[in-house]
Amino acid sequence: CEVVVVVGSQTSSNSNRLREIAEKAGIPGYLVDGPEDLERGWFEGKRVVGVTAGASAPELLVQRVVARLREWGGEGAEEIVGRAESVVFALPRELRATPGE
């Protein structure tokens, strides 16, 4: 893609990391809370826009960003499914139930 939009909070390290990855790949990346933060100028002369989201970003906001891009003339949105995650984190010892409790 030629520009990346990351839906997520400015305080989210996950969302900021996604934007940084785009920038490191030489692709302009923008972090937005929702469609109201989009700027038309980001997309001038661009044909392919990537939209992604931080882990805690609501799907509804992502869909609203995609809808705004469509309103501005975007077409052919295609969802690309990444690899399945299988990471499991154990509860801290203090939070684990002990037998008999």
Side-chain angles (χ1 to χ4, degrees):
C1 59
E2 299 169 279
V3 62
V4 173
V5 175
V6 179
V7 181
S9 171
Q10 300 289 330
T11 60
S12 165
S13 62
N14 175 264
S15 298
N16 277 291
R17 177 65 62 199
L18 290 168
R19 186 198 55 75
E20 289 171 7
I21 290 170
E23 295 283 339
K24 285 183 181 178
I27 301 168
Y30 301 98
L31 180 56
V32 300
D33 285 318
E36 65 281 353
D37 295 331
L38 296 172
E39 296 184 23
R40 284 182 181 260
W42 298 345
F43 310 105
E44 289 178 10
K46 307 293 192 249
R47 295 180 46 103
V48 180
V49 176
V51 178
T52 189
S56 60
E59 178 66 19
L60 179 61
L61 287 179
V62 176
Q63 294 305 320
R64 287 181 179 166
V65 165
V66 171
R68 176 67 51 86
L69 293 172
R70 281 192 175 127
E71 288 170 13
W72 289 352
E75 55 186 65
E78 176 185 340
E79 183 173 354
I80 299 173
V81 179
R83 63 182 160 183
E85 295 181 8
S86 60
V87 177
V88 177
F89 295 96
L91 283 173
R93 186 178 315 242
E94 301 81 31
L95 297 177
R96 293 184 208 154
T98 56
E101 285 188 17

